[in-house]
């Protein structure tokens, strides 16, 4: 898989955090991976490793998002936008393999695919403030 595809799967796992207890997530990860017919083991390992890294930093990530989002705090944000932001913020702040510009661009592309009409602009705006 290419990184864009991997990122989409990581986003879907991060999205699930809003709906399941942390202790239930290993089972959901397993079920999700069972549905990925063409994923190599190294792809699954990469997805799981990065998803877990994001999950471990949720509190810190949310605090950063809350600080930079002017009118919407994480508790009020759409769950899709929040999951996209969480992944992008993790990549911007902790993943040395992903340049900030790439993290923002990929987040906007995810928002175009999965969010509502204003999602891409919202995601871009919050991430731009975080990049400064």
């Amino acid at each position: 898989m290419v990184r864009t595809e991997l990122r989409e799967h990581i986003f879907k796992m991060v999205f699930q955090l809003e709906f399941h207890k942390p202790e239930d997530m290993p089972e959901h990860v397993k079920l999700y991976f069972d549905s990925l017919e063409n994923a190599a083991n190294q792809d699954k390992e990469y997805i799981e490793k990065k998803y877990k890294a994001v999950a471990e930093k949720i509190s810190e990530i949310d605090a950063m998002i809350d600080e930079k989002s002017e009118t919407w705090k994480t508790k009020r944000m759409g769950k899709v936008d929040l999951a996209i932001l969480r992944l992008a913020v993790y990549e911007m702040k902790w993943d040395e393999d992903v340049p900030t510009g790439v993290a923002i661009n990929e987040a906007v592309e995810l928002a175009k695919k999965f969010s509502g009409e204003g999602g891409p602009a919202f995601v871009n705006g919050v991430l731009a403030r975080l990049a400064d």
Side-chain angles (χ1 to χ4, degrees), residues 49-112:
K49 180 181 175 188
K50 196 157 183 181
Y51 144 74
K52 285 181 175 179
V54 174
E56 289 173 8
K57 298 225 177 258
I58 290 280
S59 302
E60 200 171 338
I61 291 169
D62 285 359
M64 289 180 194
I65 294 169
D66 281 341
E67 182 181 322
K68 296 297 182 178
S69 61
E70 295 174 356
T71 57
W72 291 90
K73 299 302 176 197
T74 53
K75 292 188 185 326
R76 293 186 56 220
M77 286 180 189
K79 302 306 181 201
V80 169
D81 293 339
L82 182 56
I84 293 168
L85 288 169
R86 284 172 169 169
L87 175 55
V89 171
Y90 174 81
E91 289 183 332
M92 291 167 63
K93 302 298 182 184
W94 290 282
D95 192 333
E96 295 176 4
D97 294 335
V98 181
T100 297
V102 171
I104 293 171
N105 184 60
E106 291 289 330
V108 170
E109 291 303 314
L110 281 171
K112 287 178 183 176

Side-chain angles (χ1 to χ4, degrees), residues 24-38:
D24 294 338
M25 284 306 294
E27 180 64 22
H28 289 284
V29 169
K30 183 187 176 311
L31 291 170
Y32 187 79
F33 285 162
D34 288 346
S35 72
L36 295 179
E37 297 171 4
N38 298 325

